Amino acid sequence: MNDLHAAHRSSYAAAFVRPGTTHIRTAVFPGDGVLPISGAPAPSAVEGAAAVTGGPHRVAIFVYDGVTLLDIAGPAEVFKEANRFGADYRIMLLSPTGADVTSSLGVRMAVDGAVSSEPAVDTLLVAGSDHYPRAQVPAELADAARIPAASAARVASICTGAFVLAAAGVLDGKRATTHWQVAHELAVRCPTCRVEPDAIYVRDGTTYTSAGVTAGIDLALALVEEDHGPDLTRDVARALVVYMQRAGGQSQFSAPLQGPPPRSPALRRITDVVTANPRGDHSLGELANHLNVSTRHLTRLFHDELSTTPARYVENIRFDLARALLDQGHTASQAATLAGFPSYESMRRVFARKLSITPAAYQRRFGTTRLT
């Protein structure tokens, strides 16, 4: 138990509040006192870059006013915890000018310097902010991020930090992701990007992007595994009590389907019929009969206005209703019947395809925070 308490005390060494202030000061995380490991894998190209000079792997977290605190703390804890098991990461906070920054919570953070004054780092993490999906990234912030991104061995963003990388031109022509709520906006801002809204994190060469704030932990674990292999990373995940790799994508966390209404009154009548009674007979022929049009014409309307098929639209409505019913405490069988699925098995297949989990697993994760 004393060892466990010591481990917990160590976990808070990543940041501490100076007495009488609201500053958070980063700490250096030495590798001494860590547990020995045997059979360590050969270093990756990224780790090897640091090993050439015999130095630690330098991780710089790029921060600025309005930054999300958890985007910083989550990944930093992963790298710090990895040091306990044999890694040698050195973590620093860098701001555009070297001035301290204030987070979205109003907490003032002391930084280690300016990005322009530091030599090239092994890993650059760009934290996110609620500001920049709603507003354009200032040119000076994008320019400041572009400097270290050009020289870092690998570059990563946490959540909406992808907007900063996009403004800096780092994501041009690459696959990327961000929080599901603003993935469409990222695609608008970076038209040459291939945005993958359901991904927890995406790697494109040496550029990485991740989804919502806690996905920064998933990404950091992936980076540690790239450097040190799965065994050490598994120890880190266990120590932090997180999944080494969570099942499914962002869809399992997103809100029910809320797309724009159809433009044409005819198609709007059809979607109203489906949403008003998901349990009804909504076969292609039956829906076409509602409008007295051919099935081919109805299929074309759905494709042109909603970019889907009538059958897939009905399935999505039933799927969203089933999720809501599960959230309310209905059993999986009840949810399947009330949502209009022909059987529980047909609902299970839809959940597996969309979320990569079963309805029962979804309900366990999202139905309640109470232990059962």
Side-chain angles (χ1 to χ4, degrees), residues 227-271:
D227 295 340
H228 297 285
D231 291 342
L232 183 146
T233 309
R234 192 173 297 110
D235 289 336
V236 173
R238 286 171 175 164
L240 295 176
V241 198
V242 296
Y243 288 110
M244 188 166 170
Q245 182 183 84
R246 73 174 94 180
Q250 290 193 69
S251 296
Q252 60 186 299
F253 305 99
S254 63
L257 181 69
Q258 294 178 349
R263 296 186 302 273
S264 68
L267 191 55
R268 195 172 302 124
R269 288 206 306 273
I270 292 297
T271 58

Side-chain angles (χ1 to χ4, degrees), residues 25-366:
R25 173 69 66 183
T26 58
V28 175
F29 307 122
D32 39 311
V34 298
L35 301 176
I37 57 173
S38 59
S44 69
V46 175
E47 184 188 9
V52 169
T53 60
H57 185 117
R58 302 172 71 242
V59 178
I61 304 179
F62 182 63
V63 298
Y64 44 90
D65 285 333
V67 70
T68 301
L69 196 56
L70 191 55
D71 285 5
I72 304 166
E77 279 292 327
V78 171
F79 291 116
K80 183 276 307 175
E81 196 69 22
N83 285 349
R84 293 185 56 238
F85 295 101
D88 190 9
Y89 293 106
R90 292 296 185 270
I91 306 168
M92 65 189 81
L93 298 188
L94 301 178
S95 69
T97 64
D100 294 349
V101 302
T102 302
S103 77
S104 59
L105 294 179
V107 177
R108 189 168 179 79
M109 296 181 294
V111 304
D112 298 295
V115 289
S116 59
S117 64
E118 291 291 328
V121 298
D122 299 294
T123 298
L124 173 71
L125 296 181
V126 178
S129 168
D130 290 340
H131 292 335
Y132 298 122
R134 299 195 301 264
Q136 293 293 325
V137 176
E140 59 270 20
L141 182 58
D143 290 341
R146 189 178 297 112
I147 297 170
S151 58
R154 62 186 177 196
V155 180
S157 64
I158 311 300
C159 195
T160 54
F163 285 82
V164 178
L165 288 186
V170 177
L171 300 185
D172 289 348
K174 296 184 177 179
R175 296 164 51 242
T177 194
T178 186
H179 194 286
W180 62 268
Q181 287 182 315
V182 293
H184 175 72
E185 180 64 23
L186 179 62
V188 171
R189 301 269 187 97
C190 187
T192 65
C193 298
R194 196 176 91 198
V195 179
E196 300 182 8
D198 195 41
I200 297 296
Y201 69 87
V202 168
R203 174 185 179 180
D204 191 322
T206 57
T207 302
Y208 303 71
T209 50
S210 65
V213 285
T214 59
I217 295 175
D218 297 83
L219 175 57
L221 286 169
L223 296 177
V224 170
E225 182 174 6
E226 182 178 286
D227 295 340
H228 297 285
D231 291 342
L232 183 146
T233 309
R234 192 173 297 110
D235 289 336
V236 173
R238 286 171 175 164
L240 295 176
V241 198
V242 296
Y243 288 110
M244 188 166 170
Q245 182 183 84
R246 73 174 94 180
Q250 290 193 69
S251 296
Q252 60 186 299
F253 305 99
S254 63
L257 181 69
Q258 294 178 349
R263 296 186 302 273
S264 68
L267 191 55
R268 195 172 302 124
R269 288 206 306 273
I270 292 297
T271 58
D272 288 345
V273 166
V274 175
T275 54
N277 181 24
R279 299 175 63 181
D281 178 5
H282 300 313
S283 64
L284 179 59
E286 194 63 29
L287 291 177
N289 287 338
H290 276 289
L291 295 182
N292 196 26
V293 298
S294 69
T295 56
R296 184 175 181 179
H297 180 68
L298 182 63
T299 300
R300 187 182 304 114
L301 284 175
F302 269 89
H303 178 270
D304 292 345
E305 295 196 32
L306 299 178
S307 300
T308 189
T309 65
R312 188 52 56 89
Y313 182 85
V314 172
E315 179 184 273
N316 287 340
I317 293 297
R318 289 172 173 168
F319 169 70
D320 288 334
L321 178 56
R323 286 206 300 180
L325 291 166
L326 291 171
D327 291 343
Q328 294 166 15
H330 292 273
T331 67
S333 296
Q334 290 171 337
T337 300
L338 293 173
F341 283 99
S343 65
Y344 165 77
E345 181 58 27
S346 64
M347 183 180 78
R348 187 197 65 77
R349 287 196 296 268
V350 173
F351 269 72
R353 187 176 72 247
K354 290 179 175 291
L355 304 183
S356 300
I357 57 176
T358 65
Y362 172 87
Q363 190 170 47
R364 285 195 300 269
R365 292 186 187 185
F366 300 99

